């Protein structure tokens, strides 16, 4: 979700910058839809480039299939062994006695 929000934010920013640049470039208000379309295309292209650069920085971490690399040897000492169950229902019934 954060990636999508970042992508949309960068796209909107680049779109606004591109439209402003085209408007200031002398086309004026009679340019029609062309500056808006070109601004949107430039905004999307720049946003994709920025997001790919950000994504490339996150590739230093790899998934591990076991946790042995995260635990220091000899650092875990289990002192109490018990299981606590939350939200359990206990029904008690007296056993019938044989006569």
């Amino acid at each position: 979700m954060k990636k999508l929000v970042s992508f949309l934010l960068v796209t909107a920013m680049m779109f606004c910058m591109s439209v402003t640049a085209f408007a200031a470039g002398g086309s004026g208000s009679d340019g029609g839809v062309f500056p808006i379309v070109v601004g949107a295309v430039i905004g999307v292209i720049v946003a994709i480039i920025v997001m790919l650069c950000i994504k490339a920085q996150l590739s230093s971490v790899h998934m591990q299939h076991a946790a042995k690399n995260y635990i220091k040897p000899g650092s875990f000492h289990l002192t109490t062994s018990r299981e606590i169950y939350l939200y359990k229902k206990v029904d008690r019934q007296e056993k019938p006695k044989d006569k």
Side-chain angles (χ1 to χ4, degrees), residues 3-4 6 11 15 18 20-21 23 26 28 34-35 48 55 63 65 67 69-70 72 80 84 94:
K3 290 180 183 180
L4 177 65
S6 298
T11 304
F15 173 72
S18 301
T20 305
F34 181 71
I48 289 172
K55 184 180 175 185
M63 179 181 277
H65 293 289
N69 294 333
Y70 300 105
K72 293 180 182 178
T80 305
I84 300 173
E94 187 175 339

Side-chain angles (χ1 to χ4, degrees), residues 6-96:
S6 298
F7 178 76
L8 292 175
L9 187 63
V10 171
T11 304
M13 182 181 68
M14 291 299 155
F15 173 72
C16 292
M17 289 173 53
S18 301
V19 170
T20 305
F22 271 106
S27 64
S29 62
D30 60 349
V33 183
F34 181 71
I36 296 173
V37 172
V38 172
V41 170
I42 292 172
V44 168
I45 291 171
V46 172
I48 289 172
I49 291 170
V50 169
M51 293 305 294
L52 289 175
C53 291
I54 291 172
K55 184 180 175 185
Q57 294 175 355
L58 299 175
S59 63
S60 63
V61 178
H62 303 287
M63 179 181 277
Q64 296 285 326
H65 293 289
K68 66 180 181 178
N69 294 333
Y70 300 105
I71 300 174
K72 293 180 182 178
S75 67
F76 180 71
H77 302 287
L78 185 64
T79 57
T80 305
S81 176
R82 64 179 178 164
E83 295 178 355
I84 300 173
Y85 297 101
L86 299 177
Y87 310 111
K88 65 180 180 177
K89 180 179 177 183
V90 177
D91 290 330
R92 297 179 185 260
Q93 294 180 348
E94 187 175 339
K95 287 185 180 180

